[in-house]
Every structure is written in structure tokens, then in C-alpha cells.
Amino acid sequence: MRKNQNQTSPSGGASLRLQSDISLGGLGYFPLRALFRGLLCMLALSSLPLHAQDSSETGLWMSAEAQKKLSKQWSVSGEAEYRLRENLGSTDRWTVALSAAYKPVGWLKFDAGYKFMRVLNDDESSFRDDGTLKKFTPSWWCTKHRFFASATGTLSAGRLDLSLRERWQYTYRPETTVDRYDNIEEEWEDKTKDGKASHVLRSRLQAEYNIPSCKVDPFASVELYNQSGGLQKVRYTIGADWKVSKKHQLSLFYRFVDEKNSDDPDRHVIGLGYKVKL
């Protein structure tokens, strides 16, 4: 049994020492100090570059996943995700995904799936030659459908796992109608947004280390997004997975999204994830 370090001092005053672990019953002990340190480090990483680059912003991504193993080689998963952007001041998107994975051998995995997305788009403005407002479209929601397929190869060297994942994804946004204000006519009108499709090849290199006698496994990765026009963005990620038990896992990460060929700002993202094996 672990001793509570947050005890009363001999003089009668309460001790200021923080309890290092808290019990979660059958799930074991939660490393409270380690979580606080990780959160502080990631918040520092996300805030420091903001002073040097005004075009960047901070986001928060939260996800929950359930996985069911059907056999030694096959498994299925369901995942829900919610994202915040603009320094946590606005919703970015929410998504629901279903996927299946197949492992013919231990070092190779194939997976494919579908993701339903509801995305909040920025407002849009157009101006006349004299600089006055011509037309204005408020921020608007749209639906996107995404299909993906990937192959992941893993090389193990002792407690270090190196993996390379190549993923193709196809995203389609159906035609949608939004409200737009005509400042010249001083009236609202319907604006039709044409359907839009995109193909992206995502290449991710990841390293994960299994620390002896520790339930927390740190990882780091870099992922390239390529389209027909070339490199679109790069994701740099560092984080850790905490195996609470055989069925439950928590993830915490910091991610920097470097936009290469887009008007979107670079992003500093804090990520929180939960996964359960059914």
C-alpha cells in the first residue's frame, strides 16, 4: 500500500508536498506528478513559438477509441474526435470513424476505414476596389466523407520500435448551400459551394520506446502530407501512452503542424486520447 505524502505536519499545519500517486481502485495508481509535469512541458512548448510567429495558433484535440479483436489477425475499431482551434476559442471539427485492421505477420499491418466529419469553415469576405465590403459569408458548417487505407511496417530493436506508415486518404465535401450577405443590395442570399474532392498521401515515421518496469511509453513522429501540388504540411509529434491496465490506455501529446502550401496558420496542438480494448 502506498503512503499518502499529503499528511499533516508535526506542528499541526498541512504539508505542501503533492501526493505523487492517486489510487484508481482496480486500475492501479495514476502518476499524478508525471501528468502535471507533462502538461506543463507541453503547454510551454505550445506557447513559446507563438511569440516568434504571430500567424500560428493553439488547438486542443480530444479522442476516444474502442477496439475489438476478432481473431489473432483481425480487429475492428470505432473512434470519436473533437477539435478546438483559434487558441481554444472556436470549434474546428468533430468526427466519427470506423475501421478494420489485418496483421498477416507481427511486423506488418494493413488497415482501412471511413470517417464522417463535420467541419466549421472560416467566414469569407470580398471587397470592392475602394476597399468597402462587397459580400460577406459567416462561418459555416459542412459535411465531409473520408476514406482511407494504409500499410504499416515495424522494426523492433530491443525496446525501441521504429515504424513507417503509408496512408492514402480520399476526402469529399458534397455541394452545400450557405447564407451570404450582399452589402451592395443590403440583403441576404443563398450561395452554393461546389462539391470538392482531394487525394492525400500521408507518410509517417514513428519511434516508440518501452521503458522497463514502466507503464508509460514515450513516442515521437514526423508525418508528411503530399498532394498533386507537392508537400502540403508536416506534423511533428512527441507524447506518451500510459497503459492503465490491459484494456485501458491514455495518451498525451504535443503536435506542431507546419503548413507548407496553405493559407491556414501553423498550429501548436495539445492532444488527449483514451482507448479501450473490448
Side-chain angles (χ1 to χ4, degrees), residues 124 135 137 176-180 189-194:
E124 303 168 358
K135 293 187 178 183
T137 303
T176 186
T177 301
V178 300
D179 293 328
R180 183 174 67 177
E189 61 185 12
D190 291 336
K191 168 62 178 178
T192 300
K193 297 285 187 179
D194 295 333

Side-chain angles (χ1 to χ4, degrees), residues 71-75 100-105 108-112 150:
S71 66
K72 187 177 180 180
Q73 297 175 317
W74 285 95
S75 64
Y102 172 68
K103 294 187 70 172
V105 290
L108 181 62
K109 183 179 76 171
F110 300 98
D111 67 289
S150 59

Side-chain angles (χ1 to χ4, degrees), residues 238-267:
I238 57 171
D241 294 326
W242 175 42
K243 296 179 177 63
V244 183
S245 66
K246 290 183 178 180
K247 293 185 177 181
H248 302 272
Q249 176 178 293
L250 295 177
S251 297
L252 176 67
F253 65 82
Y254 162 75
R255 174 171 292 156
F256 176 65
V257 183
D258 184 9
E259 297 287 348
K260 295 294 186 181
N261 191 16
S262 171
D263 294 331
D264 294 333
D266 296 337
R267 295 189 185 185

Side-chain angles (χ1 to χ4, degrees), residues 123-275:
D123 54 56
E124 303 168 358
S125 300
S126 60
F127 300 88
R128 290 179 286 189
D129 294 337
D130 60 2
T132 57
L133 180 65
K134 182 179 179 181
K135 293 187 178 183
F136 172 73
T137 303
S139 57
W140 50 283
W141 286 92
C142 72
T143 297
K144 292 184 179 182
H145 304 281
R146 175 170 293 174
F147 301 89
F148 60 88
S150 59
T152 306
T154 303
L155 175 64
S156 298
R159 292 185 173 272
L160 179 65
D161 287 341
L162 296 175
S163 64
L164 176 64
R165 187 187 71 182
E166 295 291 344
R167 168 169 288 183
W168 163 84
Q169 70 180 32
Y170 169 77
T171 307
Y172 176 67
R173 185 194 75 194
E175 181 182 284
T176 186
T177 301
V178 300
D179 293 328
R180 183 174 67 177
Y181 184 72
D182 189 327
N183 196 45
I184 299 176
E185 301 294 334
E186 296 184 344
E187 63 181 13
W188 289 94
E189 61 185 12
D190 291 336
K191 168 62 178 178
T192 300
K193 297 285 187 179
D194 295 333
K196 185 178 180 181
S198 66
H199 295 267
V200 177
L201 177 63
R202 299 168 53 175
S203 304
R204 188 193 70 184
L205 180 64
Q206 177 168 292
E208 183 174 356
Y209 187 75
N210 178 257
I211 302 175
S213 304
C214 182
K215 294 184 178 181
V216 178
D217 296 333
F219 62 85
S221 68
V222 57
E223 186 171 18
L224 309 179
Y225 282 62
N226 286 283
Q227 289 182 278
S228 57
L231 182 63
Q232 299 298 307
K233 62 183 174 182
V234 183
R235 283 182 176 179
Y236 303 93
T237 306
I238 57 171
D241 294 326
W242 175 42
K243 296 179 177 63
V244 183
S245 66
K246 290 183 178 180
K247 293 185 177 181
H248 302 272
Q249 176 178 293
L250 295 177
S251 297
L252 176 67
F253 65 82
Y254 162 75
R255 174 171 292 156
F256 176 65
V257 183
D258 184 9
E259 297 287 348
K260 295 294 186 181
N261 191 16
S262 171
D263 294 331
D264 294 333
D266 296 337
R267 295 189 185 185
H268 304 273
V269 177
I270 300 298
L272 300 172
Y274 168 71
K275 181 179 180 180

Side-chain angles (χ1 to χ4, degrees), residues 60 76 195 207:
L60 175 65
V76 293

